[in-house]
Amino acid sequence: MAATPVVVAIDGPSGTGKSSTSKAVAARMGLRYLDTGAQYRAITWWMLNAGIDVDDRDAVAAAAGKPTIVSGTDPLAPTIVVDGTDVAAPIRGKQVTGAVSAVSAVPEVRTRITELQRSIAAEAVEGIVVEGRDIGTTVLPDAEVKIFLTASPEVRAARRSAELAGKPGAAAEVAATRAALLKRDAADSGRTTSPLAKADDATEVDTSELTLEQVIECVVTLIEERGRQPR
């Protein structure tokens, strides 16, 4: 008997384990995977490369429809391509990281990327795990499973510092990362269009004291409760 397709929305701020959890869950459950944050980073990368002032909302809005963004949804090897260029590495750089909140706050950008995300989810006949910040509230409000991952600022900062450096960060690095994360949280939660928020019907999971495997098991259990079994 074929598995029933399911749409899983996983939201939450940076450093809560969204990407690692989402990819692992998608692979285990035989679902596609979409990192929506990578799409916003990709359009930000394009804006910077095109010489557009990312602080000029009108200029960003006017250019929002120009780049062609293609997201590969294989959870074992997700890809992100802009106008034929693989941008998986450069979109994680400091320049893009520092500009992505400003670009993603522009309504025309959010409209463009939201339409792209919905079309990818609709085409995923086997089901899909979509991670981001406004998936359960705005992009896919009818998703069968909605999860909001949280963690303390200290834990998130330590995780992100280790991720960026490839090893545990020094206290000063962690403190700087914590400040940057909180600044990003404020920008994402305070924007007028599709702010970072927990959907009313989402299950909140605090990952502060959980291992990655424990978080994965929790999410898999929630999906199985909706009738979807691992492949």
Side-chain angles (χ1 to χ4, degrees):
M1 181 177 176
T4 302
V6 63
V7 174
V8 182
I10 299 184
D11 289 310
S14 299
T16 56
K18 289 197 311 294
S19 293
S20 298
T21 299
S22 298
K23 284 186 282 190
V25 168
R28 186 175 301 185
M29 303 298 290
L31 304 171
R32 307 309 292 176
Y33 160 75
L34 178 61
D35 176 1
T36 64
Q39 294 176 316
Y40 283 106
R41 285 177 172 272
I43 198 168
T44 300
W45 174 89
W46 184 90
M47 296 278 177
L48 291 168
N49 268 35
I52 293 168
D53 181 356
V54 295
D55 293 317
D56 183 338
R57 293 172 67 92
D58 290 338
V60 170
K66 294 182 178 179
T68 298
I69 300 171
V70 179
S71 297
T73 58
D74 179 350
L76 298 179
T79 58
I80 183 77
V81 173
V82 180
D83 291 343
T85 299
D86 179 351
V87 296
I91 64 171
R92 303 298 173 183
K94 290 184 178 180
Q95 189 178 24
V96 171
T97 297
V100 66
S101 283
V103 172
S104 61
V106 176
E108 289 81 0
V109 170
R110 298 209 72 82
T111 297
R112 163 80 195 289
I113 300 298
T114 295
E115 289 173 351
L116 178 59
Q117 291 162 0
R118 287 174 176 164
S119 110
I120 291 171
E123 292 169 2
V125 295
E126 60 272 81
I128 191 168
V129 177
V130 184
E131 63 147 304
R133 287 170 168 75
D134 64 342
I135 311 306
T137 54
T138 301
V139 180
L140 300 168
D142 296 326
E144 290 88 352
V145 181
K146 298 181 185 179
I147 295 156
F148 192 85
L149 298 185
T150 65
S152 71
E154 291 73 23
V155 168
R156 292 169 53 208
R159 288 174 179 167
R160 182 47 57 91
S161 293
E163 176 185 310
L164 295 175
K167 59 183 179 179
E173 294 172 347
V174 173
T177 301
R178 181 182 184 277
L181 287 175
L182 292 177
K183 181 179 179 180
R184 175 77 189 271
D185 288 351
D188 289 347
S189 301
R191 65 176 175 241
T192 303
T193 306
S194 301
L196 165 66
K198 174 180 173 288
D200 291 339
D201 54 348
T203 299
E204 184 170 322
V205 178
D206 189 330
T207 69
S208 299
E209 303 299 327
L210 300 177
T211 65
L212 174 59
E213 185 57 33
Q214 287 173 325
V215 179
I216 293 168
E217 288 294 339
C218 177
V219 175
V220 166
T221 298
L222 289 168
I223 297 172
E224 289 176 343
E225 288 174 353
R226 303 300 193 276
R228 172 79 187 216
Q229 297 300 315
R231 62 180 176 184

